[in-house]
Amino acid sequence: MEILSCPKCQSNHIIKSGVINSKQRYLCKKCNYFFTVNKIGKKIDDYYVTKALQLYLEGLSFREIERIIGVSHVTVSNWVKSYNIKKPSHANYHPTYKIFSHLELVEYLKNKELLSGAGMIITELGDKFMLIKWERFKD
């Protein structure tokens, strides 16, 4: 496998710099960074990062987001830290959420009693829809 650029600075000024554990080692001439291979990591689609951050801002905990999206709560926490997201205080309420298919969502929205007196947001979640609901006025 030929390495074309430095994983740290993306420079293409690299040279071979020995072998470690039967793997070719490289040196970046621009930033003096030693590396052996390209990082092989699971890249998570930006769609899920955005959804996780939206859910966090809506008041869901890291573990709730983990169960919904299927990404580790530690990863979600790292995203919140790296994007410097500050959650507004939700001391008076905690939102509830439900996952619906398209037809279930339509039936839910037909019932006016479920809609009055509450704020809600509906977001796409893969092939399903997520409804986040919170009481507008809470004592």
Side-chain angles (χ1 to χ4, degrees):
M1 168 172 39
E2 186 64 30
I3 308 295
L4 300 175
S5 65
C6 172
K8 189 173 182 183
C9 70
Q10 282 70 43
S11 169
N12 59 357
H13 300 303
I14 59 172
I15 60 170
K16 291 183 178 181
S17 182
V19 177
I20 294 180
N21 294 332
S22 302
K23 294 181 182 176
Q24 180 65 55
R25 187 174 186 195
Y26 297 92
L27 168 66
C28 175
K29 296 294 275 182
K30 186 175 179 184
C31 68
N32 291 325
Y33 181 69
F34 287 94
F35 58 98
T36 55
V37 294
N38 283 337
K39 285 188 175 181
I40 302 172
K42 186 171 86 173
K43 175 78 170 104
I44 298 174
D45 190 5
D46 290 339
Y47 169 81
Y48 293 105
V49 176
T50 304
K51 287 297 176 189
L53 295 175
Q54 285 174 344
L55 296 175
Y56 176 74
L57 286 172
E58 289 300 326
L60 275 66
S61 71
F62 294 139
R63 291 197 185 260
E64 288 173 321
I65 297 169
E66 174 184 33
R67 286 189 289 273
I68 293 166
I69 295 183
V71 175
S72 167
H73 65 278
V74 176
T75 301
V76 175
S77 171
N78 289 338
W79 289 337
V80 168
K81 288 177 190 171
S82 68
Y83 288 102
N84 200 18
I85 303 292
K86 302 284 186 231
K87 180 166 48 170
S89 65
H90 295 286
N92 296 334
Y93 66 91
H94 183 76
T96 58
Y97 61 90
K98 296 182 182 189
I99 309 289
F100 293 112
S101 69
H102 181 262
L103 294 176
E104 291 169 336
L105 180 63
V106 170
E107 288 300 317
Y108 185 87
L109 294 175
K110 284 181 181 177
N111 188 346
K112 281 197 169 197
E113 292 174 5
L114 297 172
L115 303 179
S116 63
M120 68 179 64
I121 199 167
I122 300 170
T123 184
E124 179 189 10
L125 197 61
D127 62 341
K128 303 240 182 231
F129 295 91
M130 177 179 204
L131 181 129
I132 304 169
K133 182 177 176 182
W134 62 96
E135 299 295 326
R136 279 194 194 148
F137 307 105
K138 196 84 167 168
D139 291 328

